[in-house]
Amino acid sequence: MDQQIIFQRLNALLASGRMSEMRGALLMLNPVDIAQYLSSLETENLLRVFRILPGDCSADVFSYMDDEQRRKLIESIGDKEVGALVDDMFVDDAVDFLEEMPAGLVRRVLANVSEDQRKVINRILSYPDNSAGSIMTIEYCRLPLGTTVAEAMDDIRANGVDKETIYTLYVIDEYRKLIGTVQLRKLLLARDEQKIDEIMNEQVVSVTTVDDQEMVADTVRHYDLMSIPVVDKEG
């Protein structure tokens, strides 16, 4: 259906106050399209519509909104809502948002997120601009050395929904040092009792937190990677 027609129908639902129907209609759309629809609304209606979205959906939609929309929204909602919204976001999306916001608004956001989220956000904000550390995600699947394939699959099923990517899994030792990677496809085809040590790739291509993002992009293109691990000076 034409996007303009969809937006007109959403406007009709909004005008008539049929918010339950509107919620159902919005959830049939891609978060990108929802963000685009919200961009057409005045602040009051923007807030009304945004508040009917489920938490996980609202965090996705928020990450696709432009900076001005996000600023208006944050200024219009309560501290508790601010904290819940940013806590639900992927950390790299939250950092991207905060880097473009006024200092006062950043302080308000950080004062209301969970302590764990605040620590991680502050750490990433401290990396140099345009460095790998400033744009990396921390939501990835890590597997301890010695994990069996069956255990790895159980871990993905239990925790994968909160990860930004599960296509590549990272094998670490007891000191959290990166020692190998495993592609999800290889994991799916392996025997349950096999150890990931037997199927992992030990020739890991990685970058450091302070490497420039252009160098990172060149490395990803050169090796035709879907993702690349970012490590500190100790690996």
Side-chain angles (χ1 to χ4, degrees):
M1 186 182 297
D2 182 80
Q3 189 180 71
Q4 186 175 357
I5 296 174
I6 294 174
F7 287 2
Q8 287 173 350
R9 293 185 177 180
L10 290 171
N11 285 335
L13 292 172
L14 179 61
S16 60
R18 292 148 65 187
M19 304 308 287
S20 179
E21 291 179 55
M22 187 169 197
R23 184 177 189 270
L26 286 168
L27 293 179
M28 296 174 67
L29 301 178
N30 186 285
V32 175
D33 295 323
I34 299 175
Q36 186 173 347
Y37 172 67
L38 292 177
S39 70
S40 68
L41 302 177
E42 296 296 328
T43 302
E44 181 181 346
N45 282 330
L46 167 65
L47 189 59
R48 284 179 68 199
V49 174
F50 190 80
R51 277 178 164 157
I52 66 175
L53 298 172
D56 55 346
C57 179
S58 63
D60 285 344
V61 171
F62 188 79
S63 68
Y64 289 111
M65 295 166 68
D66 64 39
D67 291 337
E68 181 62 19
Q69 284 180 291
R70 294 192 287 197
R71 183 188 62 77
K72 286 181 180 179
L73 195 60
I74 291 294
E75 290 175 346
S76 302
I77 63 179
D79 289 347
K80 188 174 181 180
E81 287 179 279
V82 169
L85 174 62
V86 178
D87 277 337
D88 280 337
M89 295 176 69
F90 286 123
V91 171
D92 56 329
D93 289 335
V95 169
D96 288 344
F97 152 61
L98 291 172
E99 284 180 329
E100 302 301 325
M101 292 297 108
L105 190 145
V106 172
R107 284 194 294 272
R108 181 184 171 221
V109 169
L110 292 178
N112 289 285
V113 298
S114 66
E115 184 178 356
D116 288 345
Q117 185 85 328
R118 181 167 58 252
K119 286 179 179 177
V120 174
I121 289 173
N122 277 325
R123 188 171 77 241
I124 294 179
L125 283 172
S126 71
Y127 287 118
D129 289 344
N130 302 319
S131 67
S134 71
I135 59 173
M136 68 183 179
T137 181
I138 63 162
E139 285 94 357
Y140 63 93
C141 289
R142 64 181 75 100
L143 301 171
L145 194 64
T147 302
T148 66
V149 168
E151 291 169 338
M153 293 303 299
D154 286 343
D155 184 79
I156 293 170
R157 293 187 189 100
N159 303 305
V161 68
D162 296 320
K163 308 303 180 186
E164 196 157 358
T165 176
I166 61 171
Y167 302 112
T168 302
L169 301 98
Y170 300 93
V171 185
I172 58 174
D173 65 14
E174 58 184 312
Y175 303 107
R176 296 176 56 84
K177 183 174 181 179
L178 177 66
I179 57 174
T181 61
V182 180
Q183 297 301 314
L184 180 59
R185 180 178 183 275
K186 196 166 188 178
L187 202 64
L188 289 169
L189 296 175
R191 301 188 310 276
D192 284 351
E193 67 275 10
Q194 271 188 290
K195 295 285 184 68
I196 55 171
D197 316 30
E198 303 171 33
I199 62 173
M200 70 179 183
N201 171 30
E202 297 181 67
Q203 304 301 314
V204 181
V205 177
S206 64
V207 295
T208 71
T209 53
V210 295
D211 284 337
D212 184 80
Q213 62 181 4
E214 293 299 327
M215 188 277 279
V216 175
D218 288 342
T219 304
V220 169
R221 281 192 294 268
H222 180 75
Y223 290 100
D224 192 25
L225 301 172
M226 292 183 65
S227 61
I228 192 166
V230 182
V231 300
D232 62 17
K233 61 183 179 180
E234 296 174 350

